[in-house]
Amino acid sequence: MISTQNQYSDQAIVSMLKSGDLLGWNILYDKYSSILFGAILKVTSEEKLAKEILIESFINLQKSDILIHTKRSLLIFLLHHTYSFSYLSERGIIPLNFKAANHTFPLMNLLLFTTLSHQKIAKTIGIHETELKTKLLSESQDLSCKMLK
C-alpha cells in the first residue's frame, strides 16, 4: 500500500493514467478503495461479494478509457461507476457496454461518460442550463444518499 497516496491530486492521477503509468492505478485504488468498498456494502451486505465487485469495477475501468477522459471529481465519478456496477452485479447483470447499461443517473451518465459540456447536454435534452444543473445536483445528492448512508 502506498502511504503517500493523498499527496496526489485527481488531476495528477488522471495524468498518470493517460501516460500509461501503472503507479496511477495503484494510487487511485489506495486513495479511493476504502470509501468505494463501504459504498458497495450499502448495496450488498456480503463482504466477499463487495470485495469482488470492487475489484471487478476497477478491472472494468482499466479495460475502458472513460476514466482518463473525465474532467469531473474522481470521487464522484468512482462512486457513480461503483454504485452502478455494484447495483447491476448484485442483480446478476454484468454489463457488456457499461456506459449504456446504467439509467439510474442519466444526466450524470451524460456528463461523466461523454465529452459534452453542460450547454450541449441542456440543448440536447431541451432544457435550460440552470435546470440541468439543478437536476445534476439532485442526482448527485441521490447518489450520495444511496452510497454513503
Side-chain angles (χ1 to χ4, degrees), residues 2 6-7 14 19 28 32 41 50 52-53 56 61 68 86 88-89 92 95 102 107-108 112 114 119 139-140 146-147:
I2 301 167
N6 288 327
Q7 76 182 23
V14 170
S19 71
L28 180 73
Y32 292 112
L41 283 174
E52 289 174 12
I53 291 170
E56 288 297 322
L61 281 173
I68 62 173
S86 60
L88 294 170
S89 295
N102 177 16
L107 296 176
M108 286 182 70
L112 294 171
T114 69
Q119 293 104 352
E139 283 187 13
S140 296
K146 288 180 180 182
M147 296 301 285

Side-chain angles (χ1 to χ4, degrees), residues 29-72:
Y29 185 86
D30 287 344
K31 187 172 182 178
Y32 292 112
S33 63
S34 295
I35 193 166
L36 296 175
F37 181 73
I40 295 167
L41 283 174
K42 300 298 178 188
V43 177
T44 178
S45 58
E46 295 180 41
E47 194 171 315
K48 182 180 178 191
L49 179 60
K51 287 177 185 177
E52 289 174 12
I53 291 170
L54 178 65
I55 291 167
E56 288 297 322
S57 69
F58 268 88
I59 290 171
N60 179 271
L61 281 173
Q62 284 184 302
K63 289 180 179 178
S64 71
D65 64 352
I66 56 175
L67 181 62
I68 62 173
H69 294 295
T70 188
K71 298 199 183 329
R72 313 295 177 229

Side-chain angles (χ1 to χ4, degrees), residues 101-113:
N102 177 16
H103 301 289
T104 308
F105 303 105
L107 296 176
M108 286 182 70
N109 277 345
L110 284 173
L111 196 61
L112 294 171
F113 298 128

Side-chain angles (χ1 to χ4, degrees), residues 53-137:
I53 291 170
L54 178 65
I55 291 167
E56 288 297 322
S57 69
F58 268 88
I59 290 171
N60 179 271
L61 281 173
Q62 284 184 302
K63 289 180 179 178
S64 71
D65 64 352
I66 56 175
L67 181 62
I68 62 173
H69 294 295
T70 188
K71 298 199 183 329
R72 313 295 177 229
S73 159
L74 283 183
L75 177 59
I76 296 297
F77 176 89
L78 291 168
L79 281 171
H80 180 258
H81 176 80
T82 303
Y83 172 78
S84 302
F85 198 84
S86 60
Y87 181 84
L88 294 170
S89 295
E90 175 68 9
R91 282 142 188 85
I93 303 165
I94 302 299
L96 296 175
N97 181 352
F98 186 71
K99 293 194 294 191
N102 177 16
H103 301 289
T104 308
F105 303 105
L107 296 176
M108 286 182 70
N109 277 345
L110 284 173
L111 196 61
L112 294 171
F113 298 128
T114 69
T115 57
L116 296 176
S117 66
H118 283 92
Q119 293 104 352
K120 287 183 181 178
I121 292 172
K123 186 176 180 180
T124 300
I125 62 175
I127 63 174
H128 192 273
E129 190 176 348
T130 305
E131 185 179 354
L132 173 68
K133 289 179 181 180
T134 301
K135 289 181 178 201
L136 281 168
L137 177 61

Side-chain angles (χ1 to χ4, degrees), residues 3-18:
S3 62
T4 58
Q5 76 267 15
N6 288 327
Q7 76 182 23
Y8 293 94
S9 69
D10 286 357
Q11 186 178 18
I13 294 170
V14 170
S15 292
M16 293 168 101
L17 298 177
K18 282 182 182 179

